[in-house]
Amino acid sequence: MNSDMARYPEYMITVGDLSRFTGQTEKHILNSFDKEALLRLPGGKRGIPPQHVKAYISERKLNYSFKIVAHINLKGGTGKTTTTITAAARAAQYGFKTCILDMDPQGNASLAFDRMPEEDDPVFCDIWQNPGEMVMGSLKLVEDYLYILPSSLENSLLDVDLMNPRSQKHAVSGVCQELRKNGFDLVMIDCPPSLGTAVISTICAADTVVIPVCSDLFSMKGMELTLSEISSISKAFHLEPPETGILYTKFDKRIKVSKNALERISSKYQDQLLPVPIRTSSEFSKMLEKKKTVFALKGKSSAKEDYDMYLTYLLKRNETRRRNGGK
Ligand SMILES: Nc1ncnc2c1ncn2[C@@H]1O[C@H](COP(=O)(O)OP(=O)(O)O)[C@@H](O)[C@H]1O
Ligand SMILES: [Mg+2]
């Protein structure tokens, strides 16, 4: 595996970002760092590399306890991959040592970072039986504090490999625990839009499942199915169900269908709906072309604001809850 530090950190959080995240004033933050820890970014802002952010946040007893967050919706096109890669990139900037587990055989998250596996590179279906020896050597570095276990079509074999319910229960969890042992703080899992064994095993492992949903009817149907599957899988495996959240994506207040759908979800699922929707923005596809996330953009952007809020909300939620069943 490569070292923790990518050679040219392209973007990082600013003093203003850290002020919003911690509630401390910018002046207080500026005074808390040695001059060498602060880098001058293009545009004049002060950037703080992840290792310094982590030291600062840890000292204030904010929580880096290990978390597994999965993005699942049985319908495609709802924002699972976008949410996984964007939130993971941001978490890494906040000093969370983060690994994206790409569980989708289509490998969209891997492609988004230009980290598709080479022909002989191991993917999930090669490593789950032997995580202790295989996991760390299979990761690819994306940028500082951000790694990915890439996926390829080979992972379609999982539906055959994970026939046995015991394997389903432990496959994803075993890989995540190996990451935890190796100092990772956060695993973000991108799932395929189907109820195969990859998704079942992910539900067994996750502390939190976030369901991205947009205004179209199929995506809402997918959300309802996902919620009911989470509950029945947890029961079948005698596991405490993961915490669930619904993230409304591609929100456009000018479009009636989009507003109405959000209102409907918020009245029916008020406890699960996350407080801030992700607005629709052309910046996602623009940055995808460049194999980067919106957090590589300079300047203000609704896309960055919304995912910053999402991530802050996610990371400040409860401590990792203990799950039953052999973790
Ligand atoms: N908030 C958004 N605004 C505009 N386009 C978005 C937004 N979120 C996702 N997209 C686009 O929608 C498409 C599907 O998103 P994706 O994350 O791949 O969904 P999934 O992984 O659920 O299939 C992609 O082209 C992506 O760039
Ligand atoms: Mg996807």
Side-chain angles (χ1 to χ4, degrees):
M1 191 179 61
N2 294 313
S3 95
D4 249 8
M5 302 297 289
R7 206 144 29 115
Y8 302 109
E10 218 180 326
Y11 42 95
M12 57 187 67
I13 78 159
T14 62
V15 171
D17 292 333
L18 192 54
S19 162
R20 276 189 297 280
F21 191 72
T22 58
Q24 301 285 348
T25 62
E26 292 197 18
K27 191 168 166 212
H28 179 273
I29 290 170
L30 276 170
N31 289 337
S32 308
F33 287 97
D34 292 339
K35 282 222 163 50
E36 312 82 77
L38 299 173
L39 304 183
R40 197 165 283 285
L41 301 176
K45 288 192 173 161
R46 295 302 187 97
I48 316 168
Q51 70 274 24
H52 295 300
V53 178
K54 186 169 192 174
Y56 180 86
I57 292 180
S58 306
E59 266 172 32
R60 275 143 197 89
K61 305 256 181 306
L62 283 170
N63 174 3
Y64 281 84
S65 64
F66 183 73
K67 280 190 180 66
I68 304 168
V69 178
H71 294 114
I72 306 179
N73 188 328
L74 301 184
K75 172 78 178 71
T78 64
K80 293 179 288 298
T81 302
T82 305
T83 301
T84 304
I85 60 171
T86 311
R90 191 58 166 167
Q93 292 176 4
Y94 277 118
F96 288 77
K97 190 169 171 186
T98 302
C99 185
I100 295 171
L101 219 55
D102 188 354
M103 295 301 292
D104 186 346
Q106 291 190 35
N108 289 351
S110 313
L111 185 63
F113 287 122
D114 201 13
R115 295 293 186 277
M116 294 301 284
E118 306 281 325
E119 202 167 312
D120 293 334
D121 287 348
V123 293
F124 189 87
C125 73
D126 304 308
I127 68 167
W128 66 271
Q129 278 174 300
N130 196 359
E133 283 181 21
M134 298 288 293
V135 171
M136 294 308 289
S138 310
L139 305 182
K140 290 183 189 269
L141 179 68
V142 177
E143 57 193 47
D144 288 356
Y145 280 53
L146 180 61
Y147 294 81
I148 186 165
L149 177 69
S151 181
S152 68
L153 273 180
E154 214 191 313
N155 273 335
S156 319
L157 295 173
L158 273 178
D159 281 334
V160 180
D161 290 359
L162 292 182
M163 291 272 267
N164 170 343
R166 207 187 130 70
S167 307
Q168 291 170 13
K169 186 170 178 178
H170 293 290
V172 172
S173 166
V175 168
C176 292
Q177 293 313 315
E178 187 57 29
L179 292 168
R180 175 186 208 160
K181 266 194 238 157
N182 282 279
F184 279 87
D185 304 302
L186 179 65
V187 181
M188 288 232 173
I189 309 179
D190 187 27
C191 283
S194 59
L195 190 66
T197 53
V199 172
I200 295 173
S201 190
T202 298
I203 290 173
C204 292
D207 299 303
T208 302
V209 173
V210 173
I211 307 174
V213 64
C214 51
S215 65
D216 84 67
L217 193 61
F218 300 144
S219 123
M220 278 193 268
K221 188 76 198 149
M223 171 192 81
E224 282 166 359
L225 275 173
T226 308
L227 283 169
S228 96
E229 285 304 329
I230 291 170
S231 150
S232 42
I233 288 164
S234 304
K235 262 196 209 116
F237 286 94
H238 307 293
L239 292 165
E240 187 189 329
E243 178 188 32
T244 48
I246 296 167
L247 179 67
Y248 196 81
T249 61
K250 306 189 193 182
F251 176 60
D252 188 339
K253 69 172 191 270
R254 297 162 304 181
I255 296 180
K256 208 166 161 201
V257 187
S258 186
K259 260 175 74 176
N260 290 351
L262 180 57
E263 276 163 21
R264 236 177 307 133
I265 296 176
S266 108
S267 63
K268 194 162 171 198
Y269 297 99
Q270 53 187 358
D271 293 341
Q272 282 145 307
L273 182 66
L274 303 189
V276 185
I278 307 294
R279 285 166 283 180
T280 194
S281 161
S282 58
E283 285 169 344
F284 294 104
S285 48
K286 193 171 104 192
M287 294 313 281
L288 198 57
E289 288 276 298
K290 300 185 178 171
K291 305 274 170 37
K292 295 187 192 311
T293 74
V294 292
F295 285 110
L297 285 166
K298 313 266 181 306
K300 263 176 117 62
S301 123
S302 67
K304 285 202 294 187
E305 265 169 37
D306 293 349
Y307 273 111
D308 209 16
M309 296 272 269
Y310 167 61
L311 184 77
T312 308
Y313 184 77
L314 201 63
L315 295 180
K316 288 187 177 170
R317 273 168 96 128
N318 300 337
E319 296 274 315
T320 305
R321 289 139 355 112
R322 286 189 67 79
R323 311 276 308 278
N324 321 320
K327 265 200 191 174

